[in-house]
Amino acid sequence: MNKEVRIQKIKDVLTNESPVGKIDIPWKDKLEPMDVYQIPLAYLIYNKYNGRILSRTKSYENQNLIIDVEEEKGKNLIEDFLWFSKEQKNKETLESLKKLGQEKVGIITQDGIIIDGNRRAMLLNKINHIDYFKAVVLPVMYDGNPLEIEKFETKYQLGEERKLDYNPIEIYLKIQSLYMQLSGKSFYSAESVDKNAIKKIYEWIGNYKNINGESDIEFTLSVMNLMDEYLEWFNYNGIYTTL
């Protein structure tokens, strides 16, 4: 199913089906009440740059391999990455979903990219009697407002109560990626740091503490530089899974 077909089918759901609930979503710096719909899983696409598996997708693609999530091979690969990122927890959540169904609502874009709930969708795809995903549809295409989506993903997925759900390397990579996008720089340098970008990351990611228990985004970026240098020394450039 290509992008245009997905957009139309999701639009049809919003037009012809009744919402199954409503929740408040922090969109564009304020809480917006948004309807929840049952979107067929077949209409959805995994976000391969989901923060939970960022090291795996970056490592794979940095070896000049392409992940096309619209193809079956790419879809299966992302599902494997998601499953093995927290295998034991996934097994427990899968059993819960089989018994109770989907309790936590996901979030998607108008073109069917899963912004929040990639892991849940992957598990639901393993259950024969469930073929839909309860989700809010953000009023934007995935490529329509990339910075606003990045901001939303960061604040929503890495909120104070959710950071422990992510492996440390994924958070380091996320902070590095945010800095590059916000500063327009290809790497972090303490000598020419973009303070405005650092300030935004603090605002978006919250009180993230480094290994010394200090709230320090710049320290995190310098450690990420060290990890990149380490990989480069051994000719494993960008293959973060080796860490």
Side-chain angles (χ1 to χ4, degrees), residues 1 40-48 53 57 60 66-83 114 118 121-126:
M1 187 182 301
L41 285 162
Y43 300 174
L44 304 180
I45 297 292
Y46 295 117
N47 178 7
K48 65 178 178 179
I53 56 172
T57 52
Y60 192 91
I66 297 173
I67 303 176
D68 185 348
V69 287
E70 298 198 28
E71 296 291 335
E72 192 67 20
K73 180 181 177 182
K75 175 179 177 286
N76 292 338
L77 184 63
I78 294 300
E79 288 185 333
D80 283 345
F81 287 168
L82 287 165
W83 177 261
I114 303 171
N118 282 268
M122 174 271 294
L123 294 172
L124 289 170
N125 272 316
K126 294 180 180 294

Side-chain angles (χ1 to χ4, degrees), residues 15-81:
T15 302
N16 301 319
E17 303 295 332
S18 300
V20 295
K22 187 184 287 283
I23 62 171
D24 289 335
I25 296 294
W27 180 245
K28 293 190 175 180
D29 296 322
K30 62 179 181 180
L31 281 178
E32 292 279 0
M34 295 189 183
D35 291 326
V36 178
Y37 290 88
Q38 292 186 165
I39 309 292
L41 285 162
Y43 300 174
L44 304 180
I45 297 292
Y46 295 117
N47 178 7
K48 65 178 178 179
Y49 296 124
N50 173 266
R52 191 183 300 279
I53 56 172
L54 200 54
S55 65
R56 291 168 172 81
T57 52
K58 278 182 173 285
S59 298
Y60 192 91
E61 294 193 326
N62 282 332
Q63 296 175 78
N64 296 316
L65 300 168
I66 297 173
I67 303 176
D68 185 348
V69 287
E70 298 198 28
E71 296 291 335
E72 192 67 20
K73 180 181 177 182
K75 175 179 177 286
N76 292 338
L77 184 63
I78 294 300
E79 288 185 333
D80 283 345
F81 287 168

Side-chain angles (χ1 to χ4, degrees), residues 162-218:
R162 304 187 70 181
K163 290 190 182 77
L164 292 177
D165 210 23
Y166 289 76
N167 295 323
I169 183 62
E170 316 298 350
I171 299 179
Y172 273 67
L173 280 167
K174 184 69 170 179
I175 290 175
Q176 183 190 58
S177 175
L178 286 173
Y179 182 76
M180 289 177 177
Q181 289 182 71
L182 291 168
S183 68
K185 300 176 183 288
S186 58
F187 63 93
Y188 165 77
S189 170
E191 287 72 36
S192 60
V193 63
D194 185 326
K195 292 295 185 180
N196 288 328
I198 297 296
K199 182 181 178 182
K200 278 189 180 294
I201 296 172
Y202 271 117
E203 292 171 356
W204 292 7
I205 208 167
N207 188 31
Y208 177 63
K209 298 183 183 298
N210 63 32
I211 58 173
N212 297 318
E214 302 164 340
S215 181
D216 191 346
I217 297 297
E218 290 188 57

Side-chain angles (χ1 to χ4, degrees), residues 73-116:
K73 180 181 177 182
K75 175 179 177 286
N76 292 338
L77 184 63
I78 294 300
E79 288 185 333
D80 283 345
F81 287 168
L82 287 165
W83 177 261
F84 290 110
S85 66
K86 293 279 184 181
E87 186 175 4
Q88 184 54 44
K89 185 173 182 179
N90 283 329
K91 289 177 180 177
E92 295 167 2
T93 306
L94 180 60
E95 292 307 309
S96 175
L97 288 169
K98 286 177 179 178
K99 293 177 183 176
L100 304 175
Q102 180 189 349
E103 296 180 274
K104 187 170 177 52
V105 172
I107 298 170
I108 68 171
T109 57
Q110 291 174 328
D111 50 342
I113 307 299
I114 303 171
I115 300 299
D116 184 70

